[in-house]
Amino acid sequence: MSQWLDKQTRHLSADYRQYLQDELQTIVSYQATIGVMGKSGTGKSSLCNALFGQEESAVSDVTGGTRSPQEITLASQAGRGISLIDMPGIGESLQRHEEYREQYQALLPKLDLILWLIKADDRALSVDQQCYQELLQPNLANHSIPVLFVISQADKIEPCREWNEQQHRPGPLQQENLFLKQRVIAESFNIPNSHICVIAAAENYGLPELVETIVRVLPHERKWGVVRETRPEQISDTTWQLCLACLWQLLRSRLGELARKGKEVMTDKLSTLWRR
């Protein structure tokens, strides 16, 4: 990455190049934090392993309470890693909602992204809807955190015997039912189709598309914290090109800010000399 930046900034002075190198290091070493939601059995662990596949550190509570969100830090070989937070509340006792609501209020400012998993063959969405509307949505009003819905275990949707074992993808009727599932989720949660991804982690299906969607919805300065820790085989060429374009756009913006500050300082100095 540093070599790439050197090529892009050969025409700049040494001070400007060093400034951009420092900014680059800050951006690419950012530790992203992802909240993972969904009922038990939706495949949250399978998805995280398929995307990141790294050793887990010790589990720790994020906030107080009897059933707190659990944070797992996946340690990077060369960076700060990535934090995954398993958020409670889906399918739990309704009496705990007030407790969970307070936990969410404390937790959401720490999150960069929320992945909400729903099994492809799960027709009972009322619990997910209630949790989304009562626990998450009210708190999202004050935080611009992207939420992506992930239809997991796509190979389990009927007719499940139609799944193509050789190509690891759904058959025609399964694909139709997955499209229908996307439509139902979009209407039930009032979200755009572009924020719904379909995967089968065990079949390695839909994961590069999910990573690309994650990159598209995250702010520029947050993208690399996720991509850096993602398994290389799950990152498409399109995703890499998008990341590089956004990174260069971000660095150019920082350089522009630095230049404007320099002009302001020079203007202030000239104004002072003129008044003298």
Side-chain angles (χ1 to χ4, degrees):
M1 192 66 69
S2 295
Q3 293 176 350
W4 170 81
L5 184 60
D6 281 339
K7 292 180 181 179
Q8 303 291 329
T9 59
R10 273 180 281 188
H11 60 289
L12 297 177
S13 69
D15 289 341
Y16 276 144
R17 293 172 68 181
Q18 185 59 53
Y19 170 78
L20 290 179
Q21 286 286 356
D22 293 341
E23 288 295 306
L24 174 65
Q25 185 60 35
T26 299
I27 294 168
V28 300
S29 63
Y30 175 77
Q31 180 166 327
T33 303
I34 300 176
V36 186
M37 302 187 67
K39 298 174 188 170
S40 177
T42 53
K44 292 182 284 185
S45 295
S46 297
L47 171 59
C48 293
N49 289 335
L51 287 183
F52 308 112
Q54 300 179 41
E55 293 298 321
E56 298 177 357
S57 72
V59 175
S60 61
D61 288 346
V62 178
T63 60
T66 56
R67 294 191 179 183
S68 301
Q70 299 292 307
E71 180 174 9
I72 298 172
T73 298
L74 301 178
S76 170
Q77 295 180 358
R80 294 182 60 190
I82 187 169
S83 292
L84 304 174
I85 299 181
D86 188 358
M87 302 170 69
I90 308 296
E92 297 284 354
S93 170
L94 295 179
Q95 285 75 18
R96 293 187 176 274
H97 272 208
E98 189 58 40
E99 174 189 338
Y100 292 147
R101 187 177 289 110
E102 294 177 1
Q103 291 179 4
Y104 280 31
Q105 288 175 349
L107 180 62
L108 282 179
K110 305 175 183 179
L111 299 180
D112 297 301
L113 172 72
I114 294 173
L115 297 178
W116 193 305
L117 274 67
I118 297 176
K119 284 179 63 177
D121 61 349
D122 185 1
R123 298 182 181 181
L125 298 179
S126 59
V127 174
D128 292 86
Q129 283 180 279
Q130 187 175 28
C131 183
Y132 180 73
Q133 293 168 358
E134 295 184 6
L135 299 181
L136 191 61
Q137 209 168 24
N139 292 305
L140 285 176
N142 299 320
H143 306 286
S144 56
I145 304 168
V147 180
L148 294 181
F149 281 77
V150 181
I151 300 175
S152 63
Q153 302 178 31
D155 53 319
K156 302 292 175 52
I157 201 166
E158 294 295 341
C160 57
R161 292 186 178 181
E162 193 183 73
W163 183 266
N164 190 318
E165 298 289 350
Q166 285 72 41
Q167 297 183 7
H168 301 281
R169 60 181 305 104
L173 291 178
Q174 282 187 306
Q175 190 66 71
E176 287 184 20
N177 287 332
L178 288 169
F179 285 144
L180 177 60
K181 187 76 173 184
Q182 285 180 285
R183 198 177 314 131
V184 169
I185 291 176
E187 293 173 356
S188 299
F189 295 88
N190 192 29
I191 57 172
N193 280 326
S194 60
H195 282 213
I196 305 172
C197 299
V198 180
I199 69 158
E203 296 287 325
N204 201 35
Y205 172 76
L207 298 176
E209 291 79 8
L210 172 59
V211 174
E212 182 178 334
T213 303
I214 289 174
V215 167
R216 289 187 183 280
V217 301
L218 284 174
H220 288 356
E221 64 272 16
R222 301 290 186 256
K223 299 181 191 296
W224 281 96
V226 174
V227 173
R228 185 193 66 232
E229 304 303 328
T230 301
R231 284 182 166 180
E233 62 267 28
Q234 310 299 2
I235 304 175
S236 66
D237 289 341
T238 301
T239 299
W240 275 121
Q241 293 303 319
L242 177 62
C243 283
L244 286 173
C246 291
L247 179 60
W248 182 233
Q249 182 179 343
L250 188 59
L251 290 174
R252 288 181 63 183
S253 174
R254 300 284 172 83
L255 188 60
E257 292 173 5
L258 182 63
R260 284 192 294 274
K261 289 179 180 178
K263 289 181 180 179
E264 291 172 1
V265 171
M266 183 60 67
T267 300
D268 289 342
K269 288 183 177 180
L270 290 174
S271 298
T272 301
L273 290 173
W274 178 259
R275 286 194 295 269
R276 289 178 181 176

